[in-house]
Amino acid sequence: MRRKNRNAYIKAVLIGMLAALLVVAGLLAVMLALKAKIQKNEKEGAQTESEIVTESQTESESVMESQIVTEKRMETESETETETGTENKTEAQTEWETAAESKEEAETETLAGNGRIVAIDAGHQGPGQDMSGYEPIGPGSSEMKLRIVSGTEGRTTGLAEYDLDLRVSLLLEQELINRGYQVIMTRTTNDINIGNVERAQIANDAGADIMVRIHANGSDDTSVSGALTMAPSAANPYVGHLYSECYNLASCIVNAYCEATGLANDGILEVDNMTGINWCQMPVTIVEMGFMTNPGDDTYMADSQNQAVMAAGIADGIDQYFGR
């Protein structure tokens, strides 16, 4: 009985131990499975993290590439703006330099002269001169003409033509000098005895480009008014070869003069009996500034302020003749 109970006890102990082993084995199995699962999750997590890092690197590289492209674009635009600015600056600088050169050339021309020589002949001379002499009307001519005549005078103002001629001539001289011309004067005083041949020879000897003879007109008809210029005809035996240039000079002066003064424009009169024209070796014209026998013209021409306008008008015509 005692032995039977002992065996049963041993059997029960063994069964308990087996059960415990089974439990431990189950726990080990569970732990192994859990460990495997954890390792799997860690591996997957590592892969995911790697992918995330890779994606992050890719995004970072994309951002860097974008920044590089942007920077290059900005550099290109900056270079373009710089080039454009430089071009604009160059254009502006060129314009400024051109303007400065033009100004400098104009100033140099005024100081050094424009290379043109203008002879001005103030018509007639003061009283008290010997007016009995004669001179040939042209080179080699047998036709003779008085070398000196007195001229006319203002019907209203009493101003002598020789005095008006000199006043305007002196103003014209200064006006032309201011414009860069070299000026030759046949007379600068009323107290002089000089004939028409001598006047022309002064211009010839000076190598003048043109000669402008300053006069004023007169008429028995006091209603006649206006300014005109004189030039030789194409048939003139002495200076006919200068006809075109003389006519052009006469045209430029009478038109500019009348525009400046407002006096009537009586045009161009072709004449071949003027000694002072026939002896010239360059284009020449006589300017009849107005009729001193007309009250309106006479009063206008006697005014000193108007005389400055008259001189400027003649100078404008000379400028036009030379294409200035």
Side-chain angles (χ1 to χ4, degrees), residues 72-209:
K72 287 184 177 180
R73 183 181 302 141
M74 292 176 66
E75 288 176 358
T76 303
E77 292 176 354
S78 177
E79 289 174 358
T80 302
E81 291 177 357
T82 301
E83 291 174 356
T84 303
T86 302
E87 290 176 358
N88 292 336
K89 182 179 180 181
T90 302
E91 291 176 0
Q93 185 175 0
T94 301
E95 292 177 359
W96 180 86
E97 289 175 351
T98 301
E101 288 175 359
S102 298
K103 181 180 179 182
E104 184 177 350
E105 288 174 359
E107 291 175 350
T108 301
E109 181 177 289
T110 300
L111 292 173
N114 58 29
R116 301 295 186 178
I117 303 175
V118 178
I120 300 175
D121 176 35
H124 307 290
Q125 62 288 307
Q129 307 301 323
D130 179 9
M131 293 187 288
S132 62
Y134 286 82
E135 58 190 2
I137 196 173
S141 175
S142 59
E143 183 179 352
M144 306 296 286
K145 192 174 180 180
L146 283 170
R147 63 184 293 272
I148 292 178
V149 292
S150 59
T152 187
E153 65 178 10
R155 185 69 59 89
T156 301
T157 65
L159 178 64
E161 182 192 350
Y162 68 81
D163 194 8
L164 173 64
D165 294 347
L166 184 59
R167 291 184 190 182
V168 175
S169 294
L170 291 174
L171 290 171
L172 177 57
E173 176 190 22
Q174 189 57 54
E175 183 69 26
L176 291 176
I177 289 174
N178 293 342
R179 300 188 187 198
Y181 292 92
Q182 180 181 344
V183 180
I184 305 298
M185 301 290 289
T186 60
R187 73 179 180 96
T188 57
T189 178
N190 289 323
D191 186 16
I192 191 171
N193 188 308
I194 182 172
N196 290 302
V197 173
E198 294 173 77
R199 295 169 189 258
Q201 287 177 337
I202 289 173
N204 294 339
D205 293 342
D209 293 295

Side-chain angles (χ1 to χ4, degrees), residues 22-323:
L22 289 173
V23 171
V24 172
L27 291 172
L28 289 173
V30 171
M31 290 177 66
L32 289 173
L34 183 60
K35 183 179 180 181
K37 186 175 182 181
I38 290 171
Q39 290 176 342
K40 180 180 180 182
N41 289 338
E42 289 177 351
K43 185 177 181 181
E44 291 177 352
Q47 291 176 348
T48 302
E49 183 177 350
S50 176
E51 292 175 356
I52 291 172
V53 171
T54 303
E55 291 178 359
S56 177
Q57 290 177 344
T58 303
E59 291 177 358
S60 178
E61 291 174 355
S62 298
V63 171
M64 290 179 66
E65 290 177 357
S66 177
Q67 288 178 343
I68 292 171
V69 171
T70 302
E71 289 175 357
K72 287 184 177 180
R73 183 181 302 141
M74 292 176 66
E75 288 176 358
T76 303
E77 292 176 354
S78 177
E79 289 174 358
T80 302
E81 291 177 357
T82 301
E83 291 174 356
T84 303
T86 302
E87 290 176 358
N88 292 336
K89 182 179 180 181
T90 302
E91 291 176 0
Q93 185 175 0
T94 301
E95 292 177 359
W96 180 86
E97 289 175 351
T98 301
E101 288 175 359
S102 298
K103 181 180 179 182
E104 184 177 350
E105 288 174 359
E107 291 175 350
T108 301
E109 181 177 289
T110 300
L111 292 173
N114 58 29
R116 301 295 186 178
I117 303 175
V118 178
I120 300 175
D121 176 35
H124 307 290
Q125 62 288 307
Q129 307 301 323
D130 179 9
M131 293 187 288
S132 62
Y134 286 82
E135 58 190 2
I137 196 173
S141 175
S142 59
E143 183 179 352
M144 306 296 286
K145 192 174 180 180
L146 283 170
R147 63 184 293 272
I148 292 178
V149 292
S150 59
T152 187
E153 65 178 10
R155 185 69 59 89
T156 301
T157 65
L159 178 64
E161 182 192 350
Y162 68 81
D163 194 8
L164 173 64
D165 294 347
L166 184 59
R167 291 184 190 182
V168 175
S169 294
L170 291 174
L171 290 171
L172 177 57
E173 176 190 22
Q174 189 57 54
E175 183 69 26
L176 291 176
I177 289 174
N178 293 342
R179 300 188 187 198
Y181 292 92
Q182 180 181 344
V183 180
I184 305 298
M185 301 290 289
T186 60
R187 73 179 180 96
T188 57
T189 178
N190 289 323
D191 186 16
I192 191 171
N193 188 308
I194 182 172
N196 290 302
V197 173
E198 294 173 77
R199 295 169 189 258
Q201 287 177 337
I202 289 173
N204 294 339
D205 293 342
D209 293 295
I210 61 171
M211 186 175 192
V212 180
R213 308 184 64 208
I214 305 299
H215 284 260
N217 224 334
S219 173
D220 292 334
D221 184 353
T222 59
S223 66
V224 178
S225 65
L228 60 86
T229 49
M230 296 182 183
S233 73
N236 187 296
Y238 311 107
V239 290
H241 61 287
L242 296 174
Y243 168 73
S244 296
E245 289 299 314
C246 291
Y247 194 92
N248 184 28
L249 176 62
S251 177
C252 289
I253 289 179
V254 73
N255 291 335
Y257 175 82
C258 291
E259 182 178 356
T261 62
L263 296 176
N265 189 338
D266 293 341
I268 302 170
L269 180 64
E270 294 185 8
V271 293
D272 293 329
N273 62 345
M274 293 294 178
T275 307
I277 288 179
N278 295 342
W279 281 86
C280 281
Q281 298 172 359
M282 79 292 296
V284 57
T285 185
I286 295 176
V287 182
E288 296 286 0
M289 299 180 291
F291 281 82
M292 300 191 78
T293 50
N294 176 269
D297 285 5
D298 181 26
T299 302
Y300 178 88
M301 291 188 294
D303 185 278
S304 59
Q305 292 183 344
N306 291 339
Q307 289 167 8
V309 175
M310 294 158 66
I314 296 172
D316 289 344
I318 293 172
D319 276 347
Q320 291 177 20
Y321 173 77
F322 286 116

